[in-house]
Amino acid sequence: MNKNQKIWTKEEDLFLKKQYEQLTFQRIGEHLNRSKESVNKRIIRLNLRSEENYELFLQKE
């Protein structure tokens, strides 16, 4: 891990799980002070993405 990378906290993961279908990656990232790319990678790592809801988020972005 790069020393500039922030470790995801349990609280951040919980927020992400609750808000994943409600907010865009950009909005989640703004709230957590993370990039939308970082949010996207975390969603993948937590296996939250399904093909159906990913299509919906692409439309929101």
Side-chain angles (χ1 to χ4, degrees):
M1 175 169 33
N2 184 333
K3 67 179 180 177
N4 292 330
Q5 290 177 317
K6 287 174 37 179
I7 295 174
W8 283 79
T9 65
K10 290 179 184 177
E11 292 80 13
E12 288 173 318
D13 282 347
L14 184 59
F15 178 85
L16 183 59
K17 289 174 185 178
K18 287 184 177 181
Q19 299 302 321
Y20 172 60
E21 294 183 342
Q22 309 300 318
L23 301 175
T24 64
F25 297 168
Q26 182 71 37
R27 286 286 202 198
I28 293 170
E30 288 169 3
H31 182 80
L32 298 175
N33 197 30
R34 293 181 178 273
S35 69
K36 72 178 185 178
E37 292 80 12
S38 176
V39 170
N40 183 42
K41 287 179 185 178
R42 191 63 177 173
I43 286 168
I44 292 168
R45 174 160 250 157
L46 295 174
N47 293 315
L48 296 178
R49 177 182 293 162
S50 71
E51 204 54 42
E52 180 180 306
N53 60 19
Y54 183 62
E55 294 292 326
L56 291 172
F57 281 103
L58 287 180
Q59 293 171 6
K60 287 183 183 180
E61 294 283 317

